[in-house]
């Protein structure tokens, strides 16, 4: 007797790693000037943020770098307007999950003259071990189902002769997010956030923000033989 069953494993893990997507942006009139200012903004970030928070600058990985001419069409004058050049450098940064350090990062970045845009997501470092644990749970649940079916049919479960693995997800992240826009949108509408406002925001994050656990699921389809 052939028995085909589906087993799904699911576990929750507390985040221990922060993944940041960072974008440095500068606009200026000439290519040379925007390159100088853009490079300087990255150097200042490394000096004032990474070094102060004791984060290895090698953890800051450039994903994309571009300098492009910025123009837009003026429909009233029917002319192309030269808006200089844009410097865009997107990067990723990994850091340990530590709310005190996260709060300090938020406060220090917002104090920069030209702070980069950023988004924070939360994950776990040892994803492969976690996936193996969840896959083992999926297999055991598939076996439990097969045993119930075999017993119901008056049979004895023998061997699993085939397993079809279909991963539910590849990326492993918490559903929680943090970004500079979410944190300082109200302050930006009335001007640069004051030191008191930045400190208050950082304190709130440190004391009240807890990201959701990371959920990992795996699904197995198992073919069993019962006699």
């Amino acid at each position: 007797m052939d028995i085909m069953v589906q087993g799904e494993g699911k576990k929750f893990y507390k985040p221990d790693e922060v993944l940041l997507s960072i974008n440095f942006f500068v606009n200026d009139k000439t290519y040379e000037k925007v390159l100088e200012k853009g490079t300087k903004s990255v150097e200042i970030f490394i000096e004032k943020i990474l070094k102060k928070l004791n984060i290895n600058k090698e953890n800051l990985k450039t994903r994309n770098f571009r300098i492009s001419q910025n123009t837009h069409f003026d429909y009233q004058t029917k002319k192309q307007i030269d808006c200089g050049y844009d410097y865009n450098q997107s990067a990723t940064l990994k850091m340990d999950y530590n709310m005190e350090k996260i709060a300090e990062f938020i406060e220090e970045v917002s104090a920069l003259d030209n702070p980069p845009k950023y988004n924070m997501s939360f994950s776990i470092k040892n994803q492969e071990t976690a996936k193996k644990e969840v896959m083992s749970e999926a297999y055991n649940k598939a076996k439990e189902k097969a045993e119930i079916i075999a017993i119901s049919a008056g049979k004895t479960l023998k061997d699993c002769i085939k397993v079809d693995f279909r991963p539910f997800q590849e990326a492993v992240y918490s559903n929680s997010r943090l970004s500079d826009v979410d944190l300082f949108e109200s302050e930006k509408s009335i001007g640069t956030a004051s030191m008191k406002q930045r400190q208050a925001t950082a304190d709130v994050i440190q004391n009240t923000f807890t990201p959701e656990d990371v959920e990992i699921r795996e699904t197995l389809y198992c073919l069993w033989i019962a006699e």
Side-chain angles (χ1 to χ4, degrees):
M1 177 182 177
D2 294 347
I3 303 174
M4 173 64 78
V5 290
Q6 172 186 323
E8 183 179 280
K10 180 172 69 174
K11 286 182 177 291
F12 293 89
Y13 298 85
K14 293 193 175 300
D16 59 8
E17 184 175 59
V18 183
L19 308 174
L20 292 104
S21 177
I22 304 171
N23 185 65
F24 299 91
F25 175 81
V26 175
N27 173 268
D28 212 298
K29 292 181 179 180
T30 67
Y31 182 97
E32 292 76 14
K33 198 66 177 176
V34 81
L35 177 60
E36 178 186 346
K37 285 187 174 181
T39 303
K40 187 66 176 178
S41 69
V42 178
E43 291 174 349
I44 290 173
F45 179 83
I46 292 172
E47 186 67 29
K48 292 190 175 182
I49 306 300
L50 299 190
K51 285 189 177 180
K52 187 168 184 178
L53 271 63
N54 197 28
I55 299 173
N56 190 336
K57 69 176 184 179
E58 299 300 321
N59 290 348
L60 184 68
K61 307 292 186 182
T62 298
R63 177 177 291 171
N64 184 49
F65 172 83
R66 183 180 66 177
I67 296 178
S68 57
Q69 191 169 11
N70 185 340
T71 62
H72 77 268
F73 187 75
D74 188 327
Y75 288 95
Q76 290 184 339
T77 63
K78 307 296 183 183
K79 292 182 180 180
Q80 201 77 13
I81 305 299
D82 183 2
C83 299
Y85 290 83
D86 291 340
Y87 175 103
N88 280 283
Q89 182 173 342
S90 60
T92 59
L93 175 67
K94 289 184 179 181
M95 56 189 285
D96 291 338
Y97 176 79
N98 179 307
M99 284 312 303
E100 183 177 348
K101 184 172 284 190
I102 291 171
E104 188 176 1
F105 176 91
I106 291 169
E107 182 181 356
E108 295 296 334
V109 169
S110 66
L112 297 176
D113 291 335
N114 183 33
K117 304 290 184 183
Y118 64 85
N119 285 283
M120 288 186 187
S121 56
F122 305 90
S123 186
I124 56 175
K125 295 177 183 178
N126 203 341
Q127 295 186 12
E128 290 308 312
T129 297
K131 287 182 177 181
K132 287 177 182 178
E133 291 175 353
V134 176
M135 197 175 298
S136 177
E137 182 180 89
Y139 180 85
N140 289 332
K141 286 190 174 181
K143 185 178 181 181
E144 288 175 7
K145 288 182 180 179
E147 286 178 335
I148 292 172
I149 294 171
I151 291 172
S152 298
K155 305 286 186 180
T156 300
L157 196 66
K158 295 297 183 181
D159 296 311
C160 178
I161 61 173
K162 184 178 180 180
V163 176
D164 184 10
F165 171 57
R166 301 179 187 178
F168 177 78
Q169 58 184 16
E170 290 302 325
V172 178
Y173 298 105
S174 165
N175 289 323
S176 302
R177 298 287 187 274
L178 270 180
S179 74
D180 59 310
V181 175
D182 297 331
L183 294 170
F184 297 106
E185 187 62 35
S186 60
E187 287 88 342
K188 288 178 181 178
S189 65
I190 58 174
T192 304
S194 67
M195 182 180 296
K196 185 176 181 180
Q197 288 170 323
R198 294 195 301 267
Q199 181 63 57
T201 302
D203 288 345
V204 168
I205 291 299
Q206 183 174 344
N207 295 325
T208 66
F209 180 83
T210 303
E212 290 184 13
D213 289 349
V214 176
E215 178 184 348
I216 299 181
R217 294 184 185 182
E218 298 290 1
T219 301
L220 296 178
Y221 297 87
C222 302
L223 179 61
W224 294 78
I225 295 295
E227 295 179 352

